[in-house]
Structures are given as C-alpha cells and as structure tokens.
Amino acid sequence: MEVVVEGNCYVSGRLERCCVGIENGRISKIAKTLDGDKVYNFGSKLVIPGAIDAHVHFRDPGMTNKEDFGTGSMAAICGGVTCVFDMPNTRPPTTTLSALRDKKRIAECKSLVDFGLFAGVRPGTDIASLSKEAVGFKLYMASTTGGLLVTSLDQVRAELQAVAASGKVLAVHAEDESLRAREAEESLEDHMRNRSADCEASAIRKLGEKAKACRLHICHVSAKNSLPLLAKIPNLTAEVTPHHLLLDTASRLGTLGKVNPPLRRRDDRQGLFQGLKDGKLDIVASDHAPHTLEEKEESFDYAPTGMPGVETMLPLMLHHVKERHLDLGTVVRGLCERPGEIYGVNKGRIAPGYDADLSVIDISAASVIKGSKLHSKCAWSAFEGMHGVFPKAVLLRGEVIVEDGYLVGERKGRDSVGRQE
Ligand code: NCD
Ligand code: ZN
Ligand code: ZN
Ligand code: ZN
C-alpha cells in the first residue's frame, strides 16, 4: 500500500481497530494489519469519514470581503469537512455555464477541500447545459441574500421539468414569499414572526404539488411542524443546520442570530433533534453564510441574514456524541454518508473504492469555540462559548492536510462531480 492509516475506524456502521490501505487517494483495502510505504498510526483515536457540507456560501466571486474559497475551505478542513457544495447566490450568480466554469477555476486555484457547485434555477436557466457540471440545482422560493428569488413555481415550470429529466437534485430554500410578513424587526422573535412556520409549510406543500417529478431536497428545515409534511412527498430528502438544532430565539445573539429561515423556539429545536435521530432529516449541513461583523452591527432590520458554520458543524455534533446525546452513527450518517449518497459523490464512507478523506478524532478532547480563532474571514461565531470536538488531523485523498489546526499539506481541492467511474 502507498499509505496506511491505523486507528479505531468507523467501518460498516461500527468502530473497529484496523488499518485502512490507500492507493492513488482511494481506499483500496481494510484489514487488521497492512504494510505501507507511509504509515500513520493514530492508536486508539477515532478515524471517521471526512464530512461533506452540502450547503455553504463561500462568496467567491463577488463578495470576497466576507469570505473566499481559500479562507472558506481552510475553515472547512479545520472542522473535518473535506468536501463542500457551494451555493449559486454569488456575484455573478451561478446560473450560466460560463459563470459555473469561472467559479470552478477559482475553486481549483484556492480550495483546500474538494467541492461541488450548485447552479441556480431562474426563468430561462439553460438546465441541460448546466446539468453535466453542477452538483445539483438550487431554487430560492423566498428572498434571502442574493437576487435569485422565484416567487411562483409556475414561472419555472419548464426549468423544473428539465431538472427532473436531468436526474440531479433540486435543493430548495422553502419559504413562501407570499406569506412573509413585513413588520419592522428589532429582535430574533420579530424575525421569527415575519417568517412563520406556515411560510415553510406552505412552500413545502407547493413543491409537493408542482415539483414532485424532481428529486427534491429541502434545505435548512427550521420548524418541527414541517416534518410530517416532508414524509408525505415521495423521494424527498431534507437537511437541518446546527443552528436550528442548537440555537433558538432565547439565545442572546441579536443580529448574529438573524438567519433565514429564522431561529425558532426550543420545542422546534427539540423536534428537529428528534427528527435527525429518527432519520426523518437526512443530512446536517451548515448553511455557512458569512457576513462581516461590521455588516452585522447594522440595526436589526438592516443587518444581513446568515451566519458562518462550516468549521463548527462536526465539532458541535461530536460534542453531543461525547455527552451521549447522539450516537456516532447518527453523526456519520448525517454529515458523511447521506450527503455523499444524495449528491452522488464517491465520498463519505470508509470502504474500498471511496476517496480516502478521513478525520482523526480524540472524543475526550473538547475545546471552547472562539470566533476569533476560527478560519472564516468573518471571524465570529454564533456558537461562541459552546464546546466542540475539533479533529486532530484531516486527510484529503490520502494526504494529511491539517494537523492540530495547522496547514501541513498542499492545496489540491478539485471538483468531485463526474468522478464516479
Ligand atoms: C444565506 C446567505 O447569506 O447567503 N442566508 C441565510 O440567512 N441563510 C442565504 C440562504 O441560505 O438563504
Ligand atoms: Zn436558504
Ligand atoms: Zn444558504
Ligand atoms: Zn461540554
């Protein structure tokens, strides 16, 4: 073997002391003992698959004062995320093949992690040309950062048919723009009232009627009452963010907690947590949406929505494993296996044939989250002061890229779309 990683590895749904053999960046063999040209022995530390964050906004191109593919991917890999799927609400928006290819060139130059790029759906989007190179399609049913709003599904009937024919996933920001209230906002409670749980429920119902031919994926589910609606639509998958699981309107966050869909109350949070355990929510994704502190210091009404989260997602979830609120299996399923399956990339499992993306974890070593120590350009966190279990080392395709928060490997992120063979 070229490379052998030894440790307490998460293989076929359980932990076992074994060796992972790697050739050409892929896992080729798993056995009790293996010889290798290069051997990393992590002893009793856990070795889990690299996480896939299926929802990030790295702001590149066009808003690189907030983030870029270099800083965003550094944050990702320091948090055990070895693959990210970037959203299309950049400047220019990723709605044409040339914009998609420009973004791909940027990411190939700057990214430390592998990536996929979403294409945005608007009236007139040429779905067929984009479908070979995009990881999936994204539809915004309510206004949020960027100008990709589609207010009625009838406006994009032809485009949705083409998405269905392409076989790619249609990821949706599901809030019903027509049900949004527009009262002045001064607090997280006000923001929640303006974008009620009914907004989310109504959008999900409309999708079930008018887009059911697509492989639907509901992004950032925020209300517990949405869970029974999701179950009614066949072949649908759903996502939840760490902030909707762990924060609510009682968290004293002010504008830092202003996000779409909004943070809600404790019982929603608990309902979502149960939904994740039950597998009603398929994946956890961060919706990493950085804005500068200066922008967040605007008055509540004017402050932009969104918060960073790619670096803290896996550490926060692992802390819940440490505290025995979650099984390791639930975390690996939601952050690694299911996103890989849903979007069809060769990642997210420690098994022969998969990319050798691995995180090394000491589950007893939690640390306190400090925004200023994280790697996102925005340098703040709504999870400030909470505990996280950060990975000791992270490998991308068989190479150690970070160790103890330091960059030790090279920048070799590449597009993971179309590499299935
Ligand atoms: C996101 C952003 O800033 O790009 N904001 C947010 O509040 N979540 C956009 C989005 O995912 O809706
Ligand atoms: Zn969204
Ligand atoms: Zn988003
Ligand atoms: Zn703790």
Side-chain angles (χ1 to χ4, degrees), residues 3 6 183 201 226 246 333 382 401:
V3 181
E6 203 173 339
E183 301 297 320
S226 297
L246 303 176
R333 186 181 70 208
I401 306 291

Side-chain angles (χ1 to χ4, degrees), residues 115-239:
F115 57 86
L117 304 176
F118 276 97
V121 175
R122 283 200 292 209
T125 301
D126 181 359
I127 303 293
S129 81
L130 288 159
S131 64
K132 286 170 213 78
E133 297 184 34
V135 71
F137 288 95
K138 178 69 182 277
L139 175 71
Y140 291 92
M141 293 173 74
S143 25
T144 185
T145 310
L148 285 171
L149 169 67
V150 173
T151 45
S152 154
L153 294 176
D154 293 324
Q155 296 177 314
V156 286
R157 229 181 36 214
E159 290 78 8
L160 295 186
Q161 267 169 14
V163 172
S166 78
K168 293 268 168 166
V169 171
L170 181 70
V172 187
H173 181 117
E175 290 184 286
D176 188 334
E177 183 73 5
S178 69
L179 294 183
R180 255 180 65 206
R182 285 170 173 76
E183 301 297 320
E185 295 183 5
E186 288 180 356
S187 67
L188 292 176
E189 283 276 324
D190 294 346
H191 190 57
M192 176 186 73
R193 270 191 290 273
N194 274 344
R195 309 179 78 116
S196 68
D198 286 344
C199 278
E200 188 168 276
S202 166
I204 294 169
R205 280 195 207 96
K206 286 183 177 173
L207 287 163
E209 282 164 26
K210 301 213 161 148
K212 59 173 177 286
C214 295
R215 288 178 61 202
L216 286 171
H217 176 78
I218 309 299
C219 294
H220 43 46
V221 174
S222 66
K224 73 170 193 303
N225 288 346
S226 297
L227 296 177
L229 300 174
L230 300 172
K232 286 189 190 146
I233 304 172
N235 303 322
L236 169 146
T237 55
E239 160 191 309

Side-chain angles (χ1 to χ4, degrees), residues 4 82 116 126 155 189 197 227 267 317 365 367 378 382 392 415 420:
V4 169
T82 48
D126 181 359
Q155 296 177 314
E189 283 276 324
L227 296 177
D267 59 326
M317 293 296 117
S367 55
C378 75
K392 292 287 168 203
D415 198 335
Q420 193 77 315

Side-chain angles (χ1 to χ4, degrees), residues 221-271:
V221 174
S222 66
K224 73 170 193 303
N225 288 346
S226 297
L227 296 177
L229 300 174
L230 300 172
K232 286 189 190 146
I233 304 172
N235 303 322
L236 169 146
T237 55
E239 160 191 309
V240 66
T241 66
H243 48 273
H244 292 110
L245 290 171
L246 303 176
L247 305 173
D248 54 50
T249 53
S251 314
R252 294 169 186 276
L253 289 166
T255 55
L256 299 187
K258 186 181 178 191
V259 64
N260 296 332
L263 301 180
R264 301 193 190 279
R265 300 235 170 97
R266 192 189 165 98
D267 59 326
D268 276 296
R269 198 152 84 55
Q270 290 169 336

Side-chain angles (χ1 to χ4, degrees), residues 23-41:
E23 300 270 8
N24 294 319
R26 285 219 171 144
I27 298 168
S28 62
K29 195 169 182 189
I30 295 165
K32 276 275 159 252
T33 57
L34 284 173
D35 286 330
D37 303 335
K38 220 189 245 171
V39 177
Y40 298 102
N41 189 344

